[in-house]
Amino acid sequence: MSGSVSAISSNGTYSFTKPNRDGITLVAGFGVEGDVHAGATVKHRFRMRKDPSQPNLRQVHLMHEELFEEVRAAGFEVGAGQLGENVTTRGLDLLGLPVGARLRLGAEAVVEVTGLRNPCAQIDAFQKGLLKQVAGRDAHGRPVFRAGIMSVVLSGGVVRPGDPITVELPDGPHRPLEIV
């Protein structure tokens, strides 16, 4: 299983969108160097208010570029970094990966998948009605979240647009992704 990095984004201040970059540096156990969500403990403002000592399972946010094409068909215009992701991917079924899958980004960086991004109301503030495109329910009434996945950095390195992504699945049985 493989894909590629189509865009890289980061922001040193809290904001919903993240500007695109030529590259980012991932730091083991920390996240994206210079990004507001980097750190060993939680950096998401809501989660920090609850318990700032929690481990940061959301160091790197990845989103599949194909989602932008899907929401475009529903009348929304979304580009890389606009939904807050750090790494925009192409050709990889991120949402189908199990917890513990490892993604090699470029030559050195490795992240481990921790779970799904919890889509929040800020998505509707960005574009009214967009939240329903990335969060909903399946035919059985179970929640479906499509706003990307979260990961932690196992091995650091520089990641750039165009870099290959390879996947190493954990030994089974595989656990499906849940909100982190």
Side-chain angles (χ1 to χ4, degrees):
M1 199 179 323
S2 64
S4 63
V5 175
S6 61
I8 294 295
S9 309
S10 69
N11 200 341
T13 60
Y14 283 105
S15 69
F16 182 68
T17 62
K18 295 185 180 197
N20 295 153
R21 308 284 183 197
D22 292 332
I24 55 174
T25 300
L26 300 185
V27 178
F30 188 75
V32 179
E33 184 176 80
D35 191 82
V36 70
H37 291 104
T41 57
V42 295
K43 300 302 175 203
H44 187 277
R45 289 188 280 192
F46 173 76
R47 293 169 193 275
M48 287 187 333
R49 283 192 299 267
K50 289 177 85 173
D51 179 2
S53 67
Q54 294 175 71
N56 187 1
L57 301 178
R58 303 165 56 99
Q59 294 175 355
V60 181
H61 176 196
L62 298 99
M63 187 174 294
H64 53 296
E65 183 179 63
E66 292 84 354
L67 177 65
F68 306 151
E69 296 162 9
E70 293 172 27
V71 300
R72 190 173 298 119
F76 298 92
E77 194 59 42
V78 179
Q82 290 186 316
L83 295 181
E85 77 276 10
N86 300 112
V87 178
T88 309
T89 68
R90 183 93 182 134
L92 190 57
D93 179 14
L94 294 178
L95 302 177
L97 295 172
V99 172
R102 293 183 176 186
L103 306 172
R104 178 174 294 279
L105 307 167
E108 300 173 325
V110 178
V111 299
E112 183 172 280
V113 176
T114 56
L116 293 167
R117 174 196 183 183
N118 186 10
C120 66
Q122 288 185 22
I123 294 173
D124 258 358
F126 174 68
Q127 288 185 41
K128 186 121 180 90
L130 184 57
L131 181 59
K132 285 187 177 183
Q133 298 297 313
V134 298
R137 300 208 173 265
D138 67 14
H140 304 286
R142 293 180 298 241
V144 175
F145 301 106
R146 303 180 331 128
I149 64 171
M150 308 308 285
S151 64
V152 295
V153 181
L154 298 181
S155 299
V158 175
V159 181
R160 294 185 177 88
D163 280 351
I165 302 172
T166 56
V167 177
E168 178 185 320
L169 296 174
D171 293 336
H174 293 164
R175 288 186 318 139
L177 299 178
E178 296 178 357
I179 296 283
V180 293

